[in-house]
Amino acid sequence: MGAALAEAEQASATGDVPVGAVVAGPDGKIIGWGRNAREADQDPTAHAEVVALRAAAAATGSWRLSGATLVVTLEPCTMCAGALVLARVDRLVYGAHDPKAGAVGSLWDAVRDPRLNHRPEVITGVREQECARLLTDFFAARRIPRRAPS
């Protein structure tokens, strides 16, 4: 999770929501890194998980990431949950829950749907407070202070 947190911190520099992800291969070695880059790349699909999955696929020469673990600072959305299922990732580890868009238990549970042909193991709440703090600090810095009523 430390490597994913480092990626998340770098996302803020480009105005992107600080979410970071890494993909570890079966041996535990990181084979893909990613951070949110929607603002930096002007790409609506440039979520940390998708960026990391693409990097891991390029590094391995295969879209099938069997045996891999995706570690991400925030619960994946529906797009990212679908991508990790389609990539055949064996394990998902995430930090903070996302009550507004989470698709791994918060709003939906796209990765553990029994109708799918692949269901990864899910581990939640890893370094949750650190992951959540990055997000709350990021959004707090962007809020316009409200004036007191006169």
Side-chain angles (χ1 to χ4, degrees):
M1 186 60 78
L5 281 161
E7 288 292 315
E9 289 171 359
Q10 291 181 30
S12 299
T14 59
D16 279 289
V17 176
V19 177
V22 294
V23 177
D27 61 357
K29 181 181 174 190
I30 296 176
I31 56 174
W33 291 260
R35 61 181 164 269
N36 274 0
R38 292 187 310 168
E39 297 297 332
D41 296 349
Q42 292 301 298
D43 177 355
T45 68
H47 288 206
E49 301 94 323
V50 171
V51 174
L53 290 169
R54 287 176 180 157
T60 63
S62 176
W63 63 266
R64 287 182 184 88
L65 299 175
S66 299
T69 299
L70 174 64
V71 180
V72 61
T73 57
L74 181 65
E75 177 182 358
C77 69
T78 53
M79 174 182 70
C80 296
L84 74 97
V85 167
L86 293 173
R88 308 299 194 270
V89 170
D90 281 1
R91 185 175 304 100
L92 166 66
V93 177
Y94 73 83
H97 296 275
D98 186 352
K100 293 184 179 181
V104 186
S106 290
L107 290 180
W108 302 282
D109 200 344
V111 302
R112 292 178 281 212
D113 188 316
R115 296 169 292 182
L116 296 175
N117 65 336
H118 180 75
R119 289 179 296 285
E121 174 188 2
V122 178
I123 300 166
T124 69
V126 176
R127 296 176 71 173
E128 183 173 6
Q129 291 181 340
E130 285 176 80
C131 295
R133 173 66 56 202
L134 276 177
L135 294 161
T136 55
D137 289 352
F138 175 83
F139 288 112
R142 280 153 180 73
R143 284 193 197 102
I144 299 170
R146 295 182 185 195
R147 289 197 213 183
S150 37

